[in-house]
Amino acid sequence: MWKNVEHIGIAVRDLSHVNEVYSKLFGEPPYKSEAVELEQVDTSFFKVGNTKIEFLSATGPESAIAKFIEKRGEGIHHIAFEVEDIHNELERLQAEGFQFTRPEVSKGADNKLVCFIHPKSANGVLVELCQEIEN
Ligand code: ZN
């Protein structure tokens, strides 16, 4: 079952500049900053009411964020939905013919298991599925 939009991901060049600008804009600093080595990204998370915004910058040239910015410039990169059982959803959607950027669930930022539906399979939108890791 799909629950809600968990966050919106935005690709940026300079995360420290973004932290400065959006701290002013939202009136609060990011609540979390974290590197995801597998994806070669640094992330910063802001909260506005119940809505989370994730900013991502590349830490290496092979990062999907580096490639995205090279092609399209900075901007909205993905929409993340919280799901109840990410492994079930991955299996169900693969059976439905959806392509994923990786064929398995991995550990993402902000204490989440994640997987991404390739934009080719979702009308140009990179869709993230995520599930909170239970501690
Ligand atoms: Zn995300």
Side-chain angles (χ1 to χ4, degrees):
M1 192 181 74
W2 289 46
K3 297 205 237 176
N4 54 279
V5 171
E6 214 284 329
H7 63 268
I8 295 166
I10 299 174
V12 299
R13 286 198 176 85
D14 180 351
L15 206 55
S16 60
H17 181 249
V18 159
N19 286 343
E20 213 178 289
V21 170
Y22 279 82
S23 292
K24 273 185 216 157
L25 198 139
F26 295 144
E28 265 186 71
Y31 71 90
K32 191 180 266 191
S33 294
E34 196 180 341
V36 183
E37 273 170 38
L38 179 67
E39 304 286 352
Q40 293 185 34
V41 294
D42 280 334
T43 66
S44 267
F45 285 85
F46 287 85
K47 219 177 216 169
V48 184
N50 289 326
T51 304
K52 292 182 197 164
I53 310 284
E54 174 188 29
F55 291 96
L56 308 104
S57 69
T59 57
E62 288 310 304
S63 165
I65 295 299
K67 290 173 186 160
F68 177 89
I69 288 177
E70 197 176 295
K71 255 197 239 163
R72 301 212 221 168
E74 294 182 301
I76 293 182
H77 177 256
H78 63 271
I79 300 179
F81 293 87
E82 188 173 15
V83 298
E84 205 165 87
D85 185 334
I86 194 167
H87 295 98
N88 256 353
E89 285 303 315
L90 176 67
E91 202 175 304
R92 180 180 75 84
L93 293 168
Q94 280 177 328
E96 293 276 10
F98 286 90
Q99 285 180 48
F100 284 76
T101 59
R102 282 201 180 87
E104 72 275 330
V105 169
S106 61
K107 187 171 179 320
D110 203 23
N111 198 40
K112 299 276 190 303
L113 294 173
V114 299
C115 60
F116 291 89
I117 300 174
H118 197 283
K120 271 192 268 182
S121 287
N123 299 76
V125 180
L126 178 62
V127 176
E128 174 181 342
L129 279 64
C130 63
Q131 182 184 349
E132 186 90 16
I133 297 169
E134 315 258 339
N135 292 308

